[in-house]
Amino acid sequence: MNKTRLEAFSDGVLAIIITIMVLEIKAPEDDSFESLQHLIPVFLSYVLSFIYVGIYWNNHHHMLQVVKKVNGSILWGNLFLLFWLSLIPFATSWIGEHHFSAVPMSIYGFVLLMCAIAYNILQYRIICLEGKDSILHRAVEKDLKGKISVVCYILAIPLAFVSPWISGLLYIAVALLWIIPDSRIEKQLN
């Protein structure tokens, strides 16, 4: 099967996810700068989640650049990733509205962990179709950033009950780790 429909659908879903997140930021009823103060946690959670969605979009785009064809297994793997990404607006809203408290922060970490696992499943499904000699396999076979990310999420989930700020710092650290686009695929193409 051709990959263009998969790419177009994924781009559309990611655009909707970002739209939903921004629509969760409600304008204050008052017209003063002080009325914006209660929106600071909501805005900060939006910024972090926008960065995460952007990272997934960027890496998804790079990954699909080297894919020649897709099959049903890849389509389902992609839907599994999009399912977990679609929960980011819920988790974002919850941590923002409750000022980064423990339970919402742990659930946010769980959603991020599942997004990472789903992305790895999609990569695996593509490699199964394209083979061990594929560009994607050569690019990701030593995936240190991915392993560090998963460990950080696993640590952050229970640490939210010790200090939500520790969890938040771990989520920010992972985002900073990935904010520079992953060049492994581009290096394999050159």
Side-chain angles (χ1 to χ4, degrees):
M1 286 183 268
N2 192 312
K3 66 180 180 176
T4 55
R5 289 193 63 203
L6 174 89
E7 290 173 307
F9 179 72
S10 300
D11 287 348
V13 170
L14 292 170
I16 291 168
I17 289 169
I18 289 172
T19 303
I20 291 169
M21 286 189 319
V22 78
L23 290 175
E24 287 292 319
I25 303 174
K26 305 293 184 219
E29 292 182 25
D30 195 11
D31 64 353
S32 67
F33 285 115
E34 293 80 28
S35 65
L36 293 173
Q37 192 171 15
H38 81 279
L39 286 178
I40 291 172
V42 173
F43 181 72
L44 292 174
S45 66
Y46 169 76
V47 169
L48 180 61
S49 294
F50 184 92
I51 290 168
Y52 266 107
V53 172
I55 289 166
Y56 274 102
W57 175 80
N58 191 313
N59 286 310
H60 188 268
H61 172 75
H62 277 87
M63 179 171 57
L64 290 180
Q65 289 304 302
V66 297
V67 172
K68 295 178 182 81
K69 59 187 182 266
V70 297
N71 62 11
S73 176
I74 291 170
L75 294 176
W76 281 109
N78 194 67
L79 278 174
F80 188 61
L81 171 62
L82 294 175
F83 169 79
W84 288 105
L85 288 170
S86 74
L87 290 175
I88 288 178
F90 162 75
T92 301
S93 176
W94 203 16
I95 64 173
E97 290 294 325
H98 293 280
H99 301 253
F100 307 99
S101 63
V103 173
M105 285 297 277
S106 68
I107 296 300
Y108 188 78
F110 178 75
V111 169
L112 293 177
L113 173 64
M114 292 308 298
C115 288
I117 289 170
Y119 188 87
N120 285 323
I121 289 170
L122 177 58
Q123 272 185 171
Y124 174 76
R125 299 308 321 150
I126 292 169
I127 290 167
C128 283
L129 179 66
E130 299 212 339
K132 298 282 187 193
D133 294 330
S134 67
I135 293 171
L136 182 60
H137 183 260
R138 288 193 313 266
V140 301
E141 65 182 325
K142 297 174 186 160
D143 187 17
L144 184 61
K145 281 174 40 169
K147 290 178 177 89
I148 290 170
S149 301
V150 168
V151 168
C152 286
Y153 297 142
I154 290 170
L155 291 172
I157 293 167
L159 284 173
F161 298 99
V162 175
S163 170
W165 296 108
I166 293 172
S167 291
L169 289 173
L170 286 169
Y171 303 146
I172 291 168
V174 172
L176 290 174
L177 182 67
W178 287 98
I179 199 115
I180 297 169
D182 193 355
S183 62
R184 296 176 296 174
I185 292 173
E186 290 173 1
K187 286 178 184 173
Q188 288 297 318
L189 285 171
N190 295 330

